[in-house]
């Protein structure tokens, strides 16, 4: 039986083990009961264990002074400790948000992922940012004695610390949510990193325009109407250590064949796609990463072990160019839908791409 951390405003041990903690964020009540989001943080207990922490110069630690907030996609939650460690080793404070009714946040009797408008996630994100602002952890290495002396002699020592910059890291539906949020909240985020963001329906705009009115009507007639999952389990097969992948995760929180989709949720997603298609105006630098190729099929193909088997990557890349005036698109050879769950060599390529981009855009 799953246990839940109390919403007491405190950090508690997380399922990811040492160096990870979680905090429950109350979001009020809806028709299914109390609603929560869950914020996870990576807080290294021993910087000496991390080969980069404390041993790089500030210039080399490209995310020094940054907070990174990560959000997952549909039928998903945060189980990526290697991603958290990569960012903290480069100077960031890393946080991940399990949205309401996903992963650590879902409660018995609640419908997986149920929401009527993607704007409702503003409350989840606001609660996460408030909790992050309260966190006093500083990942910067301790000052050496000469630096301490210099700071004491400097008249600037009484100046307040500059605000930490914010990078949003969104995967799949999380990439859509963060793109729309950044457009509605100009100036709040300083960078947007998108990992295979779901920016358009797989049947493209014409399919969306046909399906959306029917879904909207269904949602008005019966807000609790659900559509059967069309997930055949191929993506899970490429990811799970119980099949042909290398990752272990809680299969109650990340179902091997997905879950039924609330019609009202899918209607909200298609409305988000329509807003993206009309063009957004995110003014912060944007990095969009996708696999180099897609394999979308109703039967298993070994190519699914090295391609995106969920989204059409060409459509994603095309839509990404309409998110704002400063967009970089990187296509990663042999990457899965979640690039950070790909094989080690592919992950290294993706992390190197982030570091190159950050070194040019974020300093």
């Amino acid at each position: 039986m799953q246990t839940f951390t109390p919403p007491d405003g405190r950090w508690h041990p997380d399922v990811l083990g040492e160096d990870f903690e979680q905090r429950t964020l109350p979001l009020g009540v809806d028709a299914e009961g109390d609603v929560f989001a869950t914020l996870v943080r990576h807080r290294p207990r021993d910087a000496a264990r991390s080969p980069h922490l404390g041993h790089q110069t500030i210039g080399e630690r490209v995310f020094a002074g940054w907070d990174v907030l990560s959000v997952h996609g549909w039928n998903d939650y945060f189980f990526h400790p290697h991603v958290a460690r990569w960012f903290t080793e480069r100077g960031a404070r890393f946080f991940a948000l399990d949205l309401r009714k996903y992963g650590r946040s879902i409660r018995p009797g609640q419908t997986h992922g149920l929401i009527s408008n993607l704007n409702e996630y503003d409350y989840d994100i606001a609660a996460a940012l408030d909790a992050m602002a309260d966190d006093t952890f500083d990942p910067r290495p301790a000052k050496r004695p000469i630096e301490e002396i210099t700071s004491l002699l400097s008249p600037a020592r009484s100046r307040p610390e500059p605000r930490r910059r914010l990078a949003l890291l969104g995967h799949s539906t999380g990439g859509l949510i963060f793109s729309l949020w950044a457009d509605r909240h100009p100036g709040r985020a300083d960078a947007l990193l998108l990992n295979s963001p779901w920016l358009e329906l797989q049947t493209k705009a014409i399919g969306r325009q046909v399906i959306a009115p029917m879904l909207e009507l269904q949602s008005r007639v019966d807000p609790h109407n659900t559509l059967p999952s069309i997930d055949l389990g191929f993506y899970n097969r490429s990811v799970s250590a119980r099949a042909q992948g290398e990752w272990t995760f809680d299969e109650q929180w990340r179902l091997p064949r997905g879950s039924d989709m609330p019609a009202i949720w899918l209607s909200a997603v298609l409305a988000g796609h329509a807003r993206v298609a009309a063009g957004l105006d995110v003014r912060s630098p944007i990095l969009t990463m996708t696999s180099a190729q897609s394999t979308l099929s109703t039967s298993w193909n070994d190519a699914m072990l090295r391609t995106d088997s969920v989204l059409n990557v060409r459509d994603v890349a095309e839509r990404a160019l309409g998110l704002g005036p400063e967009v970089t698109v990187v296509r990663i050879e042999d990457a899965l839908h979640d690039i950070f769950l790909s094989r080690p060599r592919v992950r290294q390529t993706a992390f190197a791409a982030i570091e190159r981009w950050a070194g040019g855009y974020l300093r």
Side-chain angles (χ1 to χ4, degrees):
M1 177 181 292
Q2 293 292 345
T3 58
F4 306 104
T5 58
D8 56 9
R10 298 179 181 179
W11 294 95
H12 297 267
D14 185 63
V15 293
L16 292 179
E18 189 178 5
D19 293 353
F20 289 89
E21 296 174 325
Q22 63 168 279
R23 177 175 168 182
T24 300
L25 308 175
L27 298 175
V29 180
D30 70 4
E32 295 186 327
D34 292 328
V35 180
F36 304 96
T38 309
L39 188 65
V40 178
R41 72 178 178 184
H42 180 226
R43 190 167 185 174
R45 298 290 190 273
D46 182 2
R49 286 205 310 267
S50 296
H52 299 285
L53 270 176
H55 294 285
Q56 290 178 295
T57 67
I58 293 298
E60 291 172 321
R61 298 178 70 207
V62 293
F63 284 96
W66 285 80
D67 284 346
V68 176
L69 177 61
S70 174
V71 162
H72 55 84
W74 169 255
N75 185 37
D76 213 347
Y77 73 102
F78 180 72
F79 62 98
H80 303 59
H82 59 295
V83 175
R85 294 188 181 107
W86 188 88
F87 279 100
T88 54
E89 285 172 358
R90 283 150 186 82
R93 299 194 311 176
F94 184 92
F95 301 85
L97 181 62
D98 278 11
L99 297 168
R100 64 181 70 192
K101 304 187 182 183
Y102 286 96
R104 299 165 179 84
S105 304
I106 195 166
R107 298 296 187 265
Q110 292 185 339
T111 304
H112 182 95
L114 180 64
I115 202 164
S116 60
N117 190 311
L118 297 184
N119 291 7
E120 294 176 39
Y121 289 127
D122 281 15
Y123 297 102
D124 305 53
I125 297 169
L129 294 178
D130 285 346
M132 291 162 60
D134 290 341
D135 191 351
T136 59
F137 175 64
D138 188 345
R140 294 176 299 180
K143 292 181 179 178
R144 292 171 292 184
I146 186 63
E147 293 172 327
E148 292 174 354
I149 294 171
T150 302
S151 67
L152 288 171
L153 296 176
S154 170
R157 64 187 175 92
S158 61
R159 296 175 186 166
E161 288 285 330
R163 85 167 175 92
R164 299 186 65 81
R165 292 189 285 175
L166 175 64
L168 303 176
L169 173 62
H171 168 58
S172 199
T173 313
L176 173 64
I177 291 166
F178 269 158
S179 297
L180 297 171
W181 185 90
D183 179 65
R184 294 194 310 275
H185 299 84
R188 294 291 305 279
D190 301 284
L192 190 58
L193 289 77
L194 304 177
N195 167 14
S196 302
W198 190 19
L199 302 178
E200 181 58 277
L201 193 65
Q202 288 84 328
T203 55
K204 300 187 179 182
I206 188 168
R208 170 167 44 81
Q209 291 161 4
V210 170
I211 296 170
M214 294 187 294
L215 284 175
E216 188 176 353
L217 177 60
Q218 280 186 329
S219 301
R220 285 202 301 266
V221 173
D222 180 7
H224 297 286
N225 181 45
T226 59
L227 307 172
S229 172
I230 58 173
D231 187 343
L232 299 175
F234 298 150
Y235 177 48
N236 184 76
R237 179 173 171 177
S238 69
V239 169
S240 173
R242 298 178 63 177
Q244 292 177 261
E246 61 176 287
W247 304 100
T248 301
F249 44 83
D250 189 322
E251 293 190 352
Q252 295 180 54
W253 290 348
R254 192 178 193 277
L255 303 174
R257 284 181 172 261
S259 64
D260 291 348
M261 295 178 291
I264 198 168
W265 169 83
L266 186 54
S267 181
V269 169
L270 297 187
H273 289 164
R275 287 159 58 193
V276 170
L280 303 184
D281 189 25
V282 178
R283 290 287 165 166
S284 56
I286 302 169
L287 173 64
T288 301
M289 297 190 300
T290 73
S291 178
Q293 296 181 3
S294 296
T295 304
L296 306 178
S297 173
T298 57
S299 59
W300 172 258
N301 186 322
D302 281 344
M304 293 174 176
L305 296 172
R306 57 185 181 274
T307 58
D308 190 324
S309 59
V310 178
L311 299 182
N312 184 321
V313 296
R314 291 182 178 273
D315 292 345
V316 171
E318 180 181 346
R319 284 288 181 244
L321 297 178
L323 297 178
E326 199 166 17
V327 181
T328 303
V329 176
V330 177
R331 301 178 68 174
I332 308 293
E333 199 71 39
D334 296 332
L336 299 177
H337 175 54
D338 187 338
I339 294 168
F340 299 127
L341 300 183
S342 304
R343 301 299 181 186
R345 174 184 57 79
V346 180
R347 299 199 301 269
Q348 291 168 6
T349 299
F351 285 133
I354 295 174
E355 198 148 23
R356 284 195 306 272
W357 176 79
Y361 281 96
L362 304 188
R363 286 189 177 180

